[in-house]
Amino acid sequence: CFGENDLYYQIKVANPFRRWVVSKFRVAIMLVVGQWQWGVPFLPKRGVQLTLCLGQPIEVGEATEDPSPERVDEVQKLYMERLTGVFDK
């Protein structure tokens, strides 16, 4: 969905803490504030335009525990082609 980054304000002063959490626990967290409405700070901002783009599904076949590098490259190439097609529309 294009525009979703504009739904919330990032709390930039918390970036050092976020980096510490990532380095310590290998978990990325978001510290954001939206619109303070009804005392709830996590509602998204109003008036942000979101654009949802849907493309053709990608058939990848049966899931395997250890796919070959060739298969991974093939699926990635197909994914990039379809993603570029959606973006260019």
Side-chain angles (χ1 to χ4, degrees):
C1 193
F2 295 99
E4 65 185 343
N5 291 343
D6 298 327
L7 288 175
Y8 297 96
Y9 299 104
Q10 285 191 16
I11 303 172
K12 296 195 187 290
V13 295
N15 282 345
F17 173 72
R18 291 176 58 219
R19 283 192 289 272
W20 177 81
V21 169
V22 169
S23 68
K24 188 76 170 172
F25 302 105
R26 302 281 188 238
V27 174
I29 60 172
M30 288 182 21
L31 299 173
V32 296
V33 175
Q35 177 176 309
W36 285 85
Q37 186 175 4
W38 303 302
V40 180
F42 301 111
L43 295 174
K45 294 187 289 186
R46 291 184 180 177
V48 175
Q49 180 179 350
L50 298 177
T51 304
L52 179 64
C53 299
L54 302 175
Q56 296 176 337
I58 299 172
E59 296 293 330
V60 296
E62 259 327 286
T64 60
E65 205 168 299
D66 189 23
S68 69
E70 293 82 17
R71 182 64 182 147
V72 172
D73 290 343
E74 178 184 330
V75 171
Q76 182 182 20
K77 180 181 177 191
L78 181 59
Y79 171 76
M80 292 305 296
E81 288 172 0
R82 299 275 176 89
L83 182 62
T84 302
V86 168
F87 185 77
D88 288 342
K89 274 188 174 180

